[in-house]
């Protein structure tokens, strides 16, 4: 089973899930290209397709032709791209973002939300763990990915801040998302999807 994290995050977000799934599946939770700790992503490869190219290289390296895929947010979008390429046995996308019209209010609102959060990410990068471990920095970021902040351990929250503040494609990929448009073609998905 391939687990793909959301935008600006890293494989760390899956650590509790990996333990639960590994008794029944071979599990690969990797950090997607362009994200903190993952393979570099060239500017010309920014976007879902470029990330999927990098994931395919990792699948090939692991000897996996196909796999079950679960992805959150951007990871869900990449999961749909991998399915389109014939690499998925099944999909379990979680809030894969998309389904809106191109250049819509929703699309710009989402991009604006990330842009407005960027100064916080820069400050957290400069301050390091003095920011990563402080609720003041954690709260606005965690609110984007969890309804209940108390459900996120302090260590997990700090890892989220570290990943967000070190994501090298944070702002450049926003333009790629506008260029590529929202997730489409869901009517063509051929594998079991939940």
């Amino acid at each position: 089973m391939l687990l793909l994290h959301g935008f600006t995050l890293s494989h760390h977000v899956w650590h509790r899930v990996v333990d639960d799934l590994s008794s029944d599946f071979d599990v690969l939770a990797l950090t997607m290209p362009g994200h903190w700790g993952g393979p570099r992503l060239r500017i010309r490869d920014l976007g879902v397709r470029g990330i999927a190219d990098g994931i395919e290289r990792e699948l090939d390296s692991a000897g996996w032709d196909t796999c079950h895929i679960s992805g959150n947010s951007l990871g869900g979008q990449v999961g749909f791209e991998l399915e389109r390429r014939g690499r998925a046995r099944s999909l379990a996308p979680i809030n894969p973002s998309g389904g809106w019209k191109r250049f819509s209010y929703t699309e710009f609102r989402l991009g604006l939300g990330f842009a407005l959060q960027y100064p916080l990410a820069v400050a957290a990068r400069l301050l390091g763990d003095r920011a990563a471990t402080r609720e003041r920095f954690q709260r606005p970021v965690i609110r984007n990915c969890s309804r209940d902040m108390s459900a996120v351990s302090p260590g997990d929250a700090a890892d989220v801040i570290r990943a967000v503040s070190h994501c090298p494609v944070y702002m450049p990929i926003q333009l790629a998302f506008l260029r590529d448009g929202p997730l489409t073609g869901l009517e063509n998905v051929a594998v079991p999807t939940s």
Side-chain angles (χ1 to χ4, degrees), residues 53-72:
D53 290 343
I55 300 291
E56 278 198 291
R57 285 189 290 275
E58 294 293 330
L59 292 175
D60 292 342
S61 177
W64 292 12
D65 292 328
T66 62
C67 56
H68 302 288
I69 301 172
S70 182
N72 181 42

Side-chain angles (χ1 to χ4, degrees), residues 98-113:
W100 48 73
K101 293 190 184 309
R102 190 173 183 127
F103 303 121
S104 68
Y105 169 77
T106 303
E107 187 173 29
F108 285 106
R109 183 177 55 84
L110 183 65
L112 181 62

Side-chain angles (χ1 to χ4, degrees), residues 152-164:
V152 180
S153 76
D156 287 343
D159 281 343
V160 166
I161 299 302
R162 289 181 190 107
V164 169

Side-chain angles (χ1 to χ4, degrees), residues 86-159:
R87 301 302 296 254
R89 288 183 208 159
S90 68
L91 285 173
I94 304 162
N95 191 25
S97 65
W100 48 73
K101 293 190 184 309
R102 190 173 183 127
F103 303 121
S104 68
Y105 169 77
T106 303
E107 187 173 29
F108 285 106
R109 183 177 55 84
L110 183 65
L112 181 62
F114 279 111
L116 291 173
Q117 187 175 284
Y118 185 67
L120 188 65
V122 170
R125 183 168 187 163
L126 293 172
L127 295 171
D129 272 2
R130 291 178 302 195
T133 58
R134 299 282 190 276
E135 192 174 320
R136 171 192 294 168
F137 283 88
Q138 294 172 351
R139 178 169 283 132
V141 175
I142 299 299
R143 211 179 294 138
N144 281 341
C145 52
S146 178
R147 225 170 230 260
D148 181 6
M149 181 133 176
S150 67
V152 180
S153 76
D156 287 343
D159 281 343

Side-chain angles (χ1 to χ4, degrees), residues 20 25 59 80 82 85 87 98 105 113 120 130 165 170:
D20 290 340
F25 296 95
L59 292 175
F80 279 110
L82 292 168
R85 298 175 182 199
R87 301 302 296 254
Y105 169 77
L120 188 65
R130 291 178 302 195
S165 66
Y170 192 115

Side-chain angles (χ1 to χ4, degrees), residues 163-177:
V164 169
S165 66
H166 288 84
C167 182
V169 298
Y170 192 115
M171 288 306 288
I173 206 168
Q174 299 298 321
L175 295 174
F177 292 153

